[in-house]
C-alpha cells in the first residue's frame, strides 16, 4: 500500500497554479493576489483634519479662553486653499485638507461653535487632530503582496490605492460528481434500497470553504458510459474534478471502469483508514486533474482534507502541504489497524481530544458531530487513555 505522504506528494507534484488573470476588483473576493500592489501616492495623500473643528496655529490658542476671527470654511474635497494668517482660524471638517500655516485642529467640542468668531476653551497642541500625509502608506509602498488571499479589507485597500483591476489567481472551478445507482436527490422520496446523496453537497461545500468554486454535477448511476458522458459534459468548465464512489474492489465500479482504459488516472490503495481506495490523474484534452475519492461519506471527506484541499491551495499559488496538526491528550483508548494511518473523528476541546462514538466510514452523523481528526500512525494499533496524539482541527 502506498503511504499517505507519498500520495499527497505525487498529487502536489502534478498540479500547477492556475494562470493569473486580470479582474475588476469587485470580482477579486476570495482570489489570491498574483502581483505585488504598491500605492502610487501617499495615503492619506495630504495632511487633513481628523475631526470637525477649527484649523488654528497652535501658538494662537496656547492661552485660553481665547476668541479669534473665523475666516471661512474648509470642507472635505476642497482644494486650492489660502494660507492661514496669524491670529486667524478657519472651520474645518473631517477629511478636509489642512490650510498652509495651520498646525493644529481644535475639535468643535472644545469651542462655542461660532462661525464669525469662535471662543476656544482648550489649547490644542501642535499637530492635534491632524492626519499626516503618508502616515498609512508612503508613495511606492507595497500594500499587498503576491499570494495574499483577497478579502473585503484587501478589496478596500486596492480601491484605496486607486486600482480598478488587479491580477489574481482565480478560484479554481471544481466539478463534483457522485456515482451510485443507490443515490437519490435529497428532497425526493427514498425508494427501497436507496439513500440520499450527500457527498456532492459536502464536497462542493468543502471546495468552497477551501477558497475554490464548487459545482455539483449531481450524481450518475453505476454505468461507466453515463459517468464518462457526464464527466465529458462538465470538463470544459473545470479546473479540477472530484468524483465520489465507484473506485473500490467490487463490481459496478464505474469510475474505475471508465477511467482505467485512459491510462492517465492511477488507482491505488493508500495506507489509511478511512479512505483506502484512491485515484488521481488527469482527464480530457486539457489534462484536468481528477480526484476519484471513495464513496463512503467519511472516507471522501477525509480524502478531501488530506489530498484535495492541499492541491486546491497549490492551484491557487499558495504554499501547500499536509494539513496542520496540533497535539492533544486523548480522553479514552483508541484502536487503529496495523500498517494504516487512522484518522479518527473526534471532538477537540482545548488540549484534550475525545473520539466520537461511531467510527465507521459510513457514519456521517458522527463526522458531523466532530471538529477534529485524531491521527494514529501506521505502526500503532492502540493508544491508551491519556496518550498524546496528533490532531487535525477541522
Ligand atoms: P462506493 O465507493 O461506490 O463503493 O460506495 C461506498 C459506500 O458509500 C456505499 O455504501 C455507498 O452507498 C456510499 N456512497 C457512495 N456515494 C455516496 C454519496 N454520493 N452519498 C452518500 N453515500 C454514498
Ligand atoms: Mg458505488
Amino acid at each position: 500500500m502506498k503511504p499517505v505522504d507519498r500520495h499527497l506528494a505525487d498529487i502536489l507534484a502534478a498540479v500547477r497554479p492556475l494562470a493569473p488573470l486580470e479582474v475588476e476588483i469587485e470580482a477579486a473576493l476570495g482570489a489570491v493576489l498574483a502581483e505585488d500592489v504598491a500605492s502610487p501616492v501617499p495615503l492619506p495623500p495630504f495632511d487633513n483634519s481628523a475631526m470637525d473643528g477649527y484649523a488654528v496655529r497652535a501658538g494662537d490658542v496656547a492661552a485660553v479662553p481665547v476668541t479669534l476671527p473665523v475666516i471661512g470654511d474648509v470642507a472635505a474635497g476642497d482644494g486650492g486653499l489660502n494660507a492661514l494668517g496669524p491670529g486667524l482660524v478657519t472651520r474645518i471638517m473631517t477629511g478636509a485638507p489642512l490650510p498652509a500655516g495651520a498646525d493644529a485642529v481644535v475639535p468643535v467640542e472644545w469651542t462655542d461653535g461660532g462661525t464669525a468668531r469662535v471662543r476656544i476653551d482648550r489649547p490644542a497642541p501642535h499637530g492635534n487632530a491632524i492626519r499626516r500625509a503618508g502616515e498609512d502608506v508612503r508613495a511606492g509602498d507595497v500594500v499587498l503582496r503576491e499570494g495574499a488571499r483577497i478579502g473585503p479589507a484587501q478589496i478596500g485597500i486596492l480601491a484605496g490605492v486607486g486600482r480598478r483591476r488587479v491580477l489574481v489567481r482565480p478560484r479554481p472551478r471544481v466539478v463534483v460528481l457522485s456515482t451510485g445507482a443507490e443515490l437519490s436527490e435529497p428532497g425526493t422520496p427514498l425508494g427501497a434500497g436507496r439513500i440520499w446523496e450527500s457527498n456532492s453537497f459536502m464536497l462542493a461545500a468543502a471546495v468552497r470553504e477551501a477558497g475554490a468554486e464548487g459545482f455539483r454535477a449531481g450524481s450518475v448511476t453505476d454505468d461507466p458510459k453515463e459517468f464518462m458522458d457526464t464527466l465529458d459534459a462538465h470538463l470544459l468548465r473545470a479546473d479540477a474534478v472530484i468524483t465520489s464512489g465507484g473506485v473500490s474492489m467490487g463490481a459496478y465500479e464505474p469510475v474505475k471502469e471508465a477511467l482505467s482504459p485512459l491510462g492517465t488516472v492511477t488507482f491505488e490503495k493508500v495506507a489509511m483508514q478511512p479512505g483506502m481506495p484512491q485515484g488521481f490523474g488527469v482527464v480530457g484534452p486539457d489534462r484536468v486533474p481528477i480526484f476519484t475519492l471513495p464513496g463512503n461519506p467519511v472516507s471522501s471527506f477525509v480524502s478531501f482534507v488530506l489530498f484535495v484541499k492541499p492541491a486546491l491551495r497549490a492551484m491557487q499559488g499558495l504554499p501547500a502541504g499536509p494539513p496542520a496538526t496540533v497535539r492533544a491528550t486523548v480522553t479514552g483508548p483508541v484502536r487503529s489497524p496495523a500498517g494504516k494511518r487512522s484518522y479518527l473523528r473526534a471532538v477537540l476541546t482545548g488540549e484534550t481530544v475525545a473520539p466520537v462514538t461511531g467510527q465507521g466510514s459510513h457514519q456521517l452523523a458522527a463526522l458531523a458531530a466532530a471538529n477534529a481528526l485524531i491521527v494514529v500512525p501506521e505502526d500503532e494499533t492502540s493508544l491508551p487513555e491519556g496518550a498524546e496524539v496528533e490532531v487535525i482541527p477541522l
Side-chain angles (χ1 to χ4, degrees), residues 123-201:
H126 180 90
N128 192 63
I130 296 173
R131 304 191 288 213
R132 293 293 178 192
E135 73 181 16
D136 190 16
V137 176
R138 289 164 305 172
D141 274 357
V142 171
V143 294
L144 293 173
R145 293 254 171 228
E146 178 173 357
R149 173 87 68 189
I150 301 175
Q154 288 68 39
I155 289 181
I157 189 62
L158 285 168
V161 301
R163 294 293 291 265
R164 200 67 194 80
R165 300 172 68 79
V166 67
L167 198 64
V168 299
R169 291 202 194 272
R171 294 151 61 91
R173 296 160 304 169
V174 183
V175 167
V176 183
L177 177 58
S178 288
T179 67
E182 73 280 28
L183 304 176
S184 291
E185 261 315 271
T188 68
L190 207 54
R194 302 182 70 101
I195 58 171
W196 280 304
E197 199 276 309
S198 55
N199 289 353
S200 70
F201 292 93

Side-chain angles (χ1 to χ4, degrees), residues 6-18:
R6 216 176 73 224
H7 192 56
L8 175 60
D10 285 350
I11 289 170
L12 291 179
V15 297
R16 297 272 163 273
L18 299 185

